[in-house]
Amino acid sequence: MSTRERLIASTRELLWERGYVGTSPRAVLQRADVGQGSMYHHFSGKQDLALAAIRRTADELRAQAEAQFAAPGTAVARITAYLRRERDVLKGCPIGRLTQDPDVMADPALRAPVDETFDWLRHRLTTVLAEGRDAGELNAAMDPAKTASTVVAVLQGGYVLARAADSTEPFEHAVTGVLELLACQAATPSR
């Protein structure tokens, strides 16, 4: 791994663990096992490095989600695969956790990839749900955009509940609950 990549990887880990304020240049350099000049050779400073790390995390999360959303199967099956995929639940969502970081939310550049990721996720879920509705799999009265926002809210809330309880059980219950709600939206076969 190149020095630049080690710096980004270390920053990603530290942002997830400590947030922006707790991610000092010194901690990044120690974790990446590089000298001080390396950071400033590749990045203009902490914000530039953090932005690269947040963008990388956002890109990876979107790619992982897209793998489930673009897979064959019903809309509910694809959303189920997305919600049930392996996650480090007790660490929380690496993008969602940044919404609780006042320094990230106050900085338009750092906030942009967070906003873009949630916008993309809601849009992509809306598209999958609309496909299911249009194919007759889901109730025609279901609003795909509102349902997509509900799915995202339940997922992010599940992370919060799991961290608060120091148990994955609340997350698992939240995911199961939203999937049961989606199952209730199954279209009634016409007679």
Side-chain angles (χ1 to χ4, degrees):
M1 189 182 307
S2 71
T3 299
R4 184 177 197 284
E5 291 302 312
R6 288 198 331 255
L7 288 165
I8 291 171
S10 296
T11 303
R12 288 176 65 190
E13 293 168 3
L14 288 165
L15 285 170
W16 198 9
E17 294 167 10
R18 303 179 183 181
Y20 185 73
V21 170
T23 301
S24 68
R26 173 179 244 185
V28 170
L29 296 172
Q30 286 177 337
R31 182 150 313 179
D33 194 28
V34 298
Q36 184 173 4
S38 297
M39 183 173 139
Y40 297 101
H41 173 75
H42 295 285
F43 302 96
S44 61
K46 177 181 173 178
Q47 185 214 32
D48 188 35
L49 175 56
L51 180 58
I54 293 168
R55 286 210 177 277
R56 178 74 53 83
T57 298
D59 290 346
E60 284 186 11
L61 287 176
R62 285 193 300 268
Q64 290 170 350
E66 184 59 27
Q68 278 97 33
F69 296 149
T74 66
V76 173
R78 292 181 283 156
I79 292 169
T80 299
Y82 167 71
L83 292 174
R84 296 236 186 253
R85 80 169 185 231
E86 189 173 325
R87 303 166 191 269
D88 195 345
V89 173
L90 294 180
K91 281 182 78 175
C93 173
I95 292 295
R97 284 193 63 183
L98 294 173
T99 65
Q100 300 302 311
D101 191 317
D103 293 298
V104 171
M105 292 293 97
D107 185 320
L110 295 176
R111 182 183 181 137
V114 175
D115 290 341
E116 291 162 9
T117 300
F118 282 120
D119 287 345
W120 177 88
L121 181 57
R122 282 190 304 273
H123 173 75
R124 195 62 183 94
L125 279 164
T126 298
T127 301
V128 172
L129 289 162
E131 290 169 2
R133 183 195 60 196
D134 296 346
E137 172 194 346
L138 296 169
N139 186 317
M142 181 205 62
D143 183 316
K146 290 176 183 173
T147 304
S149 290
T150 300
V151 171
V152 174
V154 168
L155 181 66
Q156 292 301 314
Y159 281 121
V160 171
L161 294 173
R163 287 178 53 82
D166 195 27
S167 167
T168 61
E169 188 174 326
F171 180 89
E172 293 159 6
H173 286 180
V175 166
T176 299
V178 79
L179 290 173
E180 288 173 357
L181 290 172
L182 277 178
C184 292
Q185 286 295 317
T188 306
S190 54
R191 297 176 189 229

